[in-house]
Amino acid sequence: MTQHTDLPAATGPFGSRGPDDSPEPPGPPRGPARTRPLLGGGIPPAWWVAAVACLTIVVAGAFGTVPGLLVDPLHGEFDWSRGTIGLAVSVNMVLNGLIAPFAASLMDRFGIRRVVAGALALLVAGATATTVMTAAWQFVLAWGVLVGLGAGSLAMTFAATLADRWFVRRRGLVTGLLTGASVFGQMVFLPALAWVVDRWSWRPAVVILALAALALLPSAWLLLRDHPADLRVPAYGATGPAPRPAPVPGAAHRAVRVLLRAARTGPFWLLAGTFAICGASTNGIMWTHFTPAAHDHGMPVTVAASLLAVIGVFSLAGTVGAGWLTDRADPRRILAAAYGLRAVSLLLLPLLMGPVPAPALVLFAVAFGLLDVATVPPTIALCRQVYGRDGAIVFGWVLAAHQAGAGVLAVAGGLVRDLSGSYDPVWVGSGALCAVAVPLVMMISRRAA
């Protein structure tokens, strides 16, 4: 399958089309290129760095499993409304996305390793504070602010930045692997955390996450590297070593400047709008409200969590497959197919819910899993194609829109349930939004011309 060329072959609004044909900022070489891999087995260093990053993203992604498990316990213990609980989750999701472009700029300024270590520390602090909270505003501060900022710094922009620096070949595949790691973390931790919540209470589950982030912090500090030049090796697939880029000063100013420039272009609003729909139809409802919605139909929490785990398993396969296809096909068509199929699945979901998972509901979990994160690699690829070397930061702002959409649906879903007594309108509304996204993604190349 060949790459489509609907997007203009000339430079995008920010200059060069992507990092493959953009020179790095000048910097002093760190020495001759290393000809052997960092560790044994003939594995290039880039893959070892990617493995450490993958483990970090797995742990950070596990924090996304908790809100759906906390809704009913917090409602029962503190008598908080689901709308109030949804507010804290919404703050978490919005800040999770809002920090992303600044995290990408901070990685350019201070390096990947320092930003990752700081983000893990925020996760530990936020989770620990959640276990001793007594008021709703404390939940907003601990889980909404601290965990939101920490998890957002270790999300998709981290994956995009690392893939850009360490890989020339297999970049789409690596992006898919790293973005899929977040959902894989949810899948790994979710059944165990659901069992802990069901058997003991919600606090031990949060403590487990805090300890996991704390245990990973020294490993990330010791093993992560900011750039191939730190090890005097070329990026994977590069013809030769590249000098380490000089630190980019003014990280916050640069992130805002990139936003202002991108906001004057049509593709940015199309990418941001469709990715907001993506967030609303995944994080906003599925990972936040599926468990309590299934519980409304008489399904045990542990069974509902197992269905979410199925989604997580197939999400990894879906995003890796989407990354592989992104290296070979028009990313717009991949996005259109993902949104269209997601729309159909969400519109059918209210008909499939019941106290016992029917085969059709299990099939839904498989299908939705394959589509869950499949939108990420092609969206990142379009940001690179249109915005060149600023593509990672532009994607950070697009991701902020994703999380804003998720935050809106997290609150709206709780309010709809409080007012109507059912989550069915939320599933139907989110499915309709996904249907709207299909023609929007197909307009991106025309807007870029």
Side-chain angles (χ1 to χ4, degrees):
M1 189 176 295
T2 58
Q3 176 69 34
H4 291 252
T5 56
D6 292 341
L7 287 163
T11 58
F14 287 14
S16 60
R17 173 63 58 175
D20 290 352
D21 55 6
S22 301
E24 295 284 1
R30 299 292 296 270
R34 188 189 299 255
T35 58
R36 292 185 177 182
L38 178 64
L39 296 176
I43 300 176
W47 290 104
W48 291 108
V49 173
V52 176
C54 186
L55 182 60
T56 304
I57 295 172
V58 165
V59 172
F63 281 77
T65 66
V66 172
L69 300 177
L70 296 186
V71 172
D72 287 338
L74 293 181
H75 176 70
E77 179 173 338
F78 296 107
D79 199 28
W80 297 341
S81 71
R82 290 175 176 84
T84 299
I85 299 168
L87 175 63
V89 178
S90 177
V91 170
N92 176 289
M93 291 179 177
V94 170
L95 290 181
N96 186 299
L98 188 60
I99 193 61
F102 295 98
S105 293
L106 287 170
M107 288 176 187
D108 287 342
R109 176 65 180 89
F110 299 106
I112 292 175
R113 181 167 58 169
R114 289 185 177 89
V115 174
V116 169
L120 287 170
L122 285 174
L123 291 178
V124 173
T128 302
T130 299
T131 62
V132 296
M133 67 182 181
T134 56
W137 69 266
Q138 296 169 347
F139 185 43
V140 173
L141 178 62
W143 198 266
V145 177
L146 295 181
V147 173
L149 292 175
S153 299
L154 300 175
M156 300 173 193
T157 50
F158 172 38
T161 300
L162 188 136
D164 280 350
R165 292 188 183 185
W166 281 91
F167 290 86
V168 174
R169 292 180 57 228
R170 309 300 185 195
R171 185 176 286 160
L173 176 63
V174 172
T175 301
L177 285 168
L178 293 179
T179 54
S182 177
V183 181
F184 182 76
Q186 296 171 348
M187 179 271 293
V188 169
F189 281 85
L190 182 59
L193 294 177
W195 181 79
V196 170
V197 171
D198 187 58
R199 185 174 179 86
W200 287 291
S201 97
W202 63 270
R203 286 185 178 84
V206 176
V207 169
I208 289 172
L209 288 180
L211 292 176
L214 182 62
L216 186 61
L217 204 159
S219 299
W221 179 259
L222 293 173
L223 299 177
L224 272 180
R225 292 294 182 268
D226 298 331
H227 193 273
D230 293 348
L231 300 176
R232 292 182 287 180
V233 297
Y236 183 78
T239 56
R244 193 184 199 283
V248 180
H253 177 71
R254 182 187 177 207
V256 174
R257 186 175 67 249
V258 169
L259 171 63
L260 294 176
R261 295 172 67 184
R264 294 196 293 266
T265 66
F268 175 79
W269 294 106
L270 290 170
L271 287 163
T274 54
F275 218 43
I277 292 173
C278 177
S281 57
T282 53
N283 299 50
I285 55 167
M286 189 58 61
W287 294 105
T288 306
H289 294 298
F290 179 81
T291 299
H295 189 62
D296 284 349
H297 288 268
M299 187 182 299
V301 171
T302 51
V303 176
S306 297
L307 284 173
L308 285 178
V310 172
I311 292 177
V313 170
F314 286 92
S315 290
L316 180 61
T319 189
V320 172
W324 182 85
L325 286 173
T326 300
D327 287 332
R328 294 162 172 80
D330 181 354
R332 299 169 311 134
R333 299 187 184 279
I334 301 170
L335 283 175
Y339 284 123
L341 293 172
R342 188 187 294 178
V344 173
S345 64
L346 286 170
L347 291 171
L348 292 175
L349 180 58
L351 304 175
L352 306 178
M353 293 289 247
V356 178
L361 187 57
V362 176
L363 182 61
F364 163 85
V366 172
F368 194 88
L370 291 172
L371 303 168
D372 186 23
V373 200
T375 56
V376 176
T379 301
I380 292 176
L382 286 170
C383 289
R384 289 195 193 109
Q385 289 176 357
V386 178
Y387 298 105
R389 287 184 55 210
D390 286 322
I393 297 176
V394 172
F395 175 70
W397 288 112
V398 171
L399 178 60
H402 177 282
Q403 295 304 104
V408 169
L409 258 292
V411 173
L415 292 176
V416 168
R417 171 60 177 80
D418 288 336
L419 294 174
S420 70
S422 172
Y423 283 103
D424 289 355
V426 182
W427 306 124
V428 174
S430 60
L433 285 175
C434 290
V436 171
V438 175
L440 293 180
V441 297
M442 296 306 297
M443 294 169 60
I444 292 175
S445 65
R446 191 163 59 220
R447 295 292 184 184

